[in-house]
Amino acid sequence: MASPGTLDARGSDFSRLAHRIADAGLLDRRPVYYAVRMGVCVAVYVASWVLFALVGDSWLQLLVAALLAVVFSQFGFLAHDLGHRQVFRTRPPSDLAGLLFGNLAVGLGWGWWNSKHNRHHANPNHEDHDPDVSPAVIVFSADQVARSRGLPRLVARHQAFWFLPLLTLEAWHLHVASVKALLKPGARRRWQELGLLAAHFAAYFGAVFAVLPPGKALAFLAVHQGLFGLYLGCTFAPNHKGMPVLTKEDKLDFLRKQVLTSRNVRGGPVRDVLLGQLNYQIEHHLFPNMPAPNLRRAQPIVEDYCAEIGVSYLQTGLFASYRQALGHLHEVGASLR
């Protein structure tokens, strides 16, 4: 899996790359960019709810639900950047903004998700340590298939087919997991986060059921939360699914661990916005505190450097990334068919 070379020679590979990135000024904060981005997101969020109130009792609200799914996802991307301290250098303002954009605005437990996401970054695609490849429903390797029981084993037979439909439940899963994590003893900021989540859901369900009759309200909730989860899932799935799954037998240095388990999706102005600029996943994993708008500029530097030291660097188109990810899931489940 690792590229040729000795471990002794690899020790300084990342530091040399880091110097190039720092010399290019790509780790510098972008306060104006984030001020504008946050302002636009908040304005669109408020406008979307005003539109919801103006449309009233109508099936056109399903279009508003789709719009809000996009807006909620963009808030999720901002919370992600805040968690990596891409916006502020210090923890207090990052925490405050993360709680407002995560818990209050979209109903996701920012502290719990941030902790889980940091574990993913520390050991991406590692069977034992990455919570994102935990076989709760989907399995990601032959070893996980062999150990699977119950629902994961049943789904694994045709999991490539079920993957996208299951993503429509992802937002509900994140909501529930957020609350469950905060109810555990020792949860950090328990009452603050629970209070913000309670405020969000009281306002959210209160508005939906105050404006819409029960049938339309339930349809609105299904479309909004379903598309919210699908959007988030389709954003994150191309990044690591179908890339090598690591085990305790794999001994890789930091640079190779991050690069070999990540996949970039070729970007462009519109695609970068739609994917929260996480399509530059390799650069993000190497430099998680790099402001998102700098990732595009870091990409050719990192790709060229990987070519210099003989490390495989994968970048592909969006639809090709889905084919690779779904093809891997289909192959993993082959033994059960």
Side-chain angles (χ1 to χ4, degrees):
M1 182 181 300
S3 61
T6 65
L7 285 173
D8 290 338
R10 296 176 185 176
S12 59
D13 282 347
F14 176 72
S15 63
R16 287 195 295 268
L17 174 61
H19 281 301
R20 295 188 188 184
I21 293 295
D23 289 345
L26 298 178
L27 298 179
D28 297 343
R29 293 296 186 274
R30 298 284 299 273
V32 174
Y33 165 84
Y34 275 109
V36 172
R37 181 176 166 187
M38 288 180 176
V40 170
C41 283
V42 170
V44 176
Y45 183 92
V46 172
S48 299
W49 283 114
V50 171
L51 178 63
F52 172 81
L54 293 175
V55 171
D57 182 1
S58 168
W59 286 108
L60 290 175
Q61 291 285 20
L62 298 186
L63 297 178
V64 180
L67 171 63
L68 277 167
V70 175
V71 176
F72 272 43
S73 297
Q74 291 295 326
F75 268 60
F77 298 150
L78 275 173
H80 166 272
D81 291 3
L82 287 160
H84 285 297
R85 297 200 199 172
Q86 296 176 16
V87 184
F88 305 105
R89 290 186 182 277
T90 58
R91 181 182 295 276
S94 300
D95 285 350
L96 176 60
L99 292 172
L100 293 176
F101 279 97
N103 293 58
L104 185 61
V106 299
L108 300 182
W110 184 76
W112 160 76
W113 183 87
N114 197 40
S115 174
K116 179 178 81 74
H117 190 62
N118 286 338
R119 296 199 305 275
H120 157 70
H121 267 265
N123 290 284
N125 264 27
H126 195 291
E127 278 191 348
D128 301 319
H129 303 302
D130 183 356
D132 289 354
V133 293
S134 173
V137 178
I138 300 293
V139 293
F140 301 95
S141 70
D143 288 343
Q144 288 184 343
V145 169
R147 299 194 303 266
S148 65
R149 298 291 184 273
L151 182 60
R153 191 170 184 85
L154 178 64
V155 171
R157 297 173 185 270
H158 302 286
Q159 62 181 5
F161 171 81
W162 288 110
F163 183 70
L164 292 177
L166 285 171
L167 287 181
T168 62
L169 303 176
E170 179 64 13
W172 295 110
H173 162 71
L174 293 173
H175 294 313
V176 172
S178 298
V179 174
K180 288 175 64 176
L182 288 168
L183 293 177
K184 292 180 180 178
R188 187 167 176 259
R189 289 191 304 261
R190 170 187 291 182
W191 300 116
Q192 295 96 319
E193 292 214 34
L194 283 173
L196 290 171
L197 287 176
H200 167 81
F201 288 115
Y204 177 72
F205 288 115
V208 171
F209 283 96
V211 171
L212 299 175
K216 289 177 183 173
L218 292 174
F220 178 93
L221 295 174
V223 171
H224 176 224
Q225 294 295 329
L227 291 180
F228 179 25
L230 182 63
Y231 187 172
L232 287 179
C234 286
T235 299
F236 288 103
N239 299 339
H240 300 282
K241 303 296 182 283
M243 299 304 291
V245 177
L246 305 181
T247 70
K248 61 184 178 181
E249 305 301 325
D250 295 298
K251 307 297 181 184
L252 299 177
D253 65 323
F254 175 79
L255 184 145
R256 286 162 178 79
K257 179 168 62 174
Q258 303 298 337
V259 174
L260 295 175
T261 60
S262 302
R263 176 196 294 109
N264 271 18
V265 173
R266 294 188 186 93
V270 174
R271 186 170 295 177
D272 288 357
V273 171
L274 290 176
L275 297 178
Q277 297 171 102
L278 294 173
N279 45 311
Y280 304 105
Q281 190 67 191
I282 294 173
E283 289 70 34
H284 171 59
H285 261 257
L286 289 170
F287 303 97
N289 64 334
M290 180 185 291
N294 292 349
L295 294 169
R296 176 181 59 82
R297 293 168 54 201
Q299 187 276 322
I301 298 175
V302 174
E303 184 176 17
D304 289 347
Y305 184 75
C306 286
E308 285 180 26
I309 63 175
V311 173
S312 176
Y313 179 105
L314 179 59
Q315 181 168 246
T316 186
L318 180 61
F319 293 107
S321 72
Y322 291 133
R323 284 197 299 271
Q324 292 170 16
L326 294 176
H328 170 75
L329 294 180
H330 185 70
E331 182 181 348
V332 165
S335 63
L336 298 178
R337 292 194 294 274

